Amino acid sequence: MEVVFAIPRVEWRVFVPELDESLVPVLDEVTRRNPGELEFHQAVREVLESLGPVVAKHPEYADAEVIRRLCEPERQIIFRVPWTDDAGRVQLNRGFRVEFNSALGPYKGGLRFHPSVYLGIVKFLGFEQIFKNSLSGLPIGGGKGGSDFDPKGRSEAEVMRFCQSFMTELFRHLGEHTDVPAGDTGVGQREIGYLFGQYKRITNRYESGVVTGKGLTWGGSQVRTEATGYGTVFFVDEMLCAAGDSFEGKQVLVSGSGNVALYAIEKVHQLGGRVITCSDSSGYVVDSTGIDLDLLKEVKNGHRGRVSDYAERRGATARFVSDGAVWQVPGEIALPCATQNELDVDSAKRLVANGCSIVAEGANMPTTPDAIRVLRGAGVRFAPGKAVNAGGVATSALEMQQNASRDSWSFEHTEERLAEIMRSIHDRCLETAEEYGTPGDYVAGANIAGFTKVADAMLALGLI
């Protein structure tokens, strides 16, 4: 099927993937059994669109209903989280943990604390995590969790009381051989510390491997803070190398200003590129001479400020824009590193018109389906988050290895391991795309490579 989009002086064809007819009932069942969970429906469809050639080549997957089983979480946990604020008032939030698939190892995936969190968000993230963890090559399954609690504006004591209440319920479902959470949006080293402290208090066990993202002085791993951002850039560097190119002299657009964005900016600069944008919920900044990373870190981490504060302190080279998106700015490479569905079809058209050649997802599912179709149809090399941002969970798994061996690795050694993992993921995506008749298609390569490894494990383990 073809759809033609046009904007002034630009016209291109968008190839809309057809869903294999054998998989239509699977998507229909997911939609029917999970009403209103639009992000989850989107994530499932995006994977299913790649699996037509797989079911044709491997009828055993259909015979064993592997795809249907993979779309249903092994366990979904929902619980209330009561806590008291500093004024002594009782507050109530809802907690979630979706343990999606453990065919390759213990459930592994972050916790997100944000007002937008509901079951559909957690299921979409958990579903994506299955394939991301599979692509990492490490023995970990997929899961995700979180709460609609918002740590912004809360005191240290309030955050601690919430985390303790959250873990008082969640602890019974965790273990280094069962389920190992990490951080995500709203859950950093501070929150991980409070969560682990409560787990230790309840269980009377110093089980370091039960959470990752810990502080360096109590079992954490070097590079964990930087891992998702660094990994994103390592992956794009491999994309460039495959085309005989490099970051040198490239103008790069980055959205967001959290850890993923900050360390993507850092690594791009180290590799010779120039990042000229960053953003938060208040708007975005364009800095024509390149983002001053030290200043941005000071504003965001030191003062918990906004990108508008960065622009004010930076001076004449920086401009703050309160509406629109960073994708309106000309750039050769775009790295969406903020949140899901932030890059829409209009933004994709603007990127194409401005000559962008690579879009790689540093966040989880930040590009809408229509936007992806526009980008791919225009010849933009597009790489999905399940491959590009796997560096975070890969380094979490390295932290688990260090905890299990009571060891600690240097920053340089851990970064090299991360670079090797991202290089391997990139190569596996390209090799798999070639094998299944879609050379150069990173979406198909990531989906198929991630799926087949899990599917083979599910077959080997029997009906579970």
Side-chain angles (χ1 to χ4, degrees), residues 56-195:
K57 185 175 181 179
H58 296 282
E60 65 271 21
Y61 295 153
D63 294 342
E65 298 287 3
V66 167
I67 299 175
R68 284 184 63 206
R69 287 191 281 142
L70 190 62
C71 292
E72 182 68 21
E74 293 175 8
R75 189 172 293 104
Q76 302 179 60
I77 303 152
I78 305 176
F79 52 97
R80 69 181 182 188
V81 188
W83 56 283
T84 55
D85 63 21
D86 287 343
R89 292 185 297 264
V90 174
Q91 302 290 336
L92 188 65
N93 288 97
R94 181 172 286 178
F96 304 91
R97 187 68 180 174
V98 174
E99 297 175 330
F100 225 114
N101 189 282
S102 58
L104 296 178
Y107 309 106
K108 186 82 189 79
L111 298 170
R112 175 175 293 191
F113 292 170
H114 191 272
S116 66
V117 169
Y118 78 109
L119 186 59
I121 289 281
V122 177
K123 281 160 77 171
F124 126 63
L125 291 168
F127 185 74
E128 288 281 292
Q129 200 76 41
I130 299 169
F131 307 99
K132 185 185 304 185
N133 294 0
S134 171
L135 284 168
S136 77
L138 300 165
I140 43 179
K144 207 75 178 184
S147 173
D148 55 2
F149 171 75
D150 188 357
K152 286 184 179 178
R154 292 295 180 181
S155 70
E156 293 281 337
E158 287 175 325
V159 172
M160 181 182 71
R161 288 194 292 272
F162 172 81
C163 289
Q164 289 174 337
S165 182
F166 184 87
M167 183 56 80
T168 297
E169 171 59 32
L170 187 63
F171 89 95
R172 67 191 80 247
H173 305 287
L174 305 183
E176 60 183 325
H177 302 298
T178 305
D179 187 351
V180 183
D184 195 281
T185 303
V187 179
Q189 196 173 111
R190 174 185 65 175
E191 288 77 16
I192 290 294
Y194 294 147
L195 291 165

Side-chain angles (χ1 to χ4, degrees), residues 45-58:
R45 182 182 183 100
E46 191 267 335
V47 171
L48 295 184
E49 286 175 346
S50 299
L51 297 187
V54 180
V55 294
K57 185 175 181 179
H58 296 282

Side-chain angles (χ1 to χ4, degrees), residues 123 226 251 261 283 289 380 432:
K123 281 160 77 171
E226 299 86 352
Q251 188 153 287
T289 58
V380 176
T432 303

Side-chain angles (χ1 to χ4, degrees), residues 101-380:
N101 189 282
S102 58
L104 296 178
Y107 309 106
K108 186 82 189 79
L111 298 170
R112 175 175 293 191
F113 292 170
H114 191 272
S116 66
V117 169
Y118 78 109
L119 186 59
I121 289 281
V122 177
K123 281 160 77 171
F124 126 63
L125 291 168
F127 185 74
E128 288 281 292
Q129 200 76 41
I130 299 169
F131 307 99
K132 185 185 304 185
N133 294 0
S134 171
L135 284 168
S136 77
L138 300 165
I140 43 179
K144 207 75 178 184
S147 173
D148 55 2
F149 171 75
D150 188 357
K152 286 184 179 178
R154 292 295 180 181
S155 70
E156 293 281 337
E158 287 175 325
V159 172
M160 181 182 71
R161 288 194 292 272
F162 172 81
C163 289
Q164 289 174 337
S165 182
F166 184 87
M167 183 56 80
T168 297
E169 171 59 32
L170 187 63
F171 89 95
R172 67 191 80 247
H173 305 287
L174 305 183
E176 60 183 325
H177 302 298
T178 305
D179 187 351
V180 183
D184 195 281
T185 303
V187 179
Q189 196 173 111
R190 174 185 65 175
E191 288 77 16
I192 290 294
Y194 294 147
L195 291 165
F196 179 69
Q198 185 72 353
Y199 180 89
K200 184 177 78 69
R201 180 183 185 188
I202 293 171
T203 63
N204 194 31
R205 294 197 302 270
Y206 203 104
E207 193 178 334
S208 296
V210 77
V211 292
T212 57
K214 301 183 293 296
L216 291 177
T217 58
W218 47 284
S221 171
Q222 299 275 6
V223 193
R224 180 60 191 90
T225 302
E226 299 86 352
T228 308
Y230 276 19
T232 294
V233 178
F234 285 144
F235 191 98
V236 176
D237 193 43
E238 293 299 318
M239 294 176 72
L240 290 164
C241 287
D245 204 351
S246 73
F247 268 107
E248 192 65 39
K250 296 288 190 300
Q251 188 153 287
V252 181
L253 310 177
V254 171
S255 66
S257 51
N259 274 349
V260 181
L262 289 174
Y263 292 104
I265 293 170
E266 182 169 279
K267 187 53 66 174
V268 168
H269 288 175
Q270 289 176 6
L271 295 179
R274 182 178 61 177
V275 177
I276 61 168
T277 64
C278 62
S279 65
D280 59 23
S281 58
S282 67
Y284 69 93
V285 164
V286 184
D287 191 334
S288 59
T289 58
I291 296 293
D292 182 333
L293 187 61
D294 290 337
L295 176 58
L296 183 60
K297 285 181 178 179
E298 181 183 340
V299 168
K300 298 300 292 187
N301 294 338
H303 301 289
R304 297 186 183 272
R306 314 295 283 167
V307 294
S308 56
D309 301 322
Y310 167 89
E312 183 178 348
R313 294 180 59 181
R314 179 66 163 154
T317 66
R319 173 171 57 93
F320 174 70
V321 182
S322 60
D323 58 351
V326 300
W327 319 122
Q328 299 171 11
V329 180
E332 297 160 272
I333 298 171
L335 306 179
C337 295
T339 191
Q340 65 267 10
N341 291 327
E342 60 166 300
L343 201 168
D344 62 17
V345 67
D346 290 334
S347 296
K349 293 176 186 179
R350 180 52 55 196
L351 286 172
V352 172
N354 286 335
C356 181
S357 60
I358 290 178
V359 175
E361 297 185 316
N364 290 303
M365 206 171 72
T367 316
T368 67
D370 285 344
I372 294 172
R373 291 162 189 161
V374 166
L375 294 169
R376 295 172 71 187
V380 176

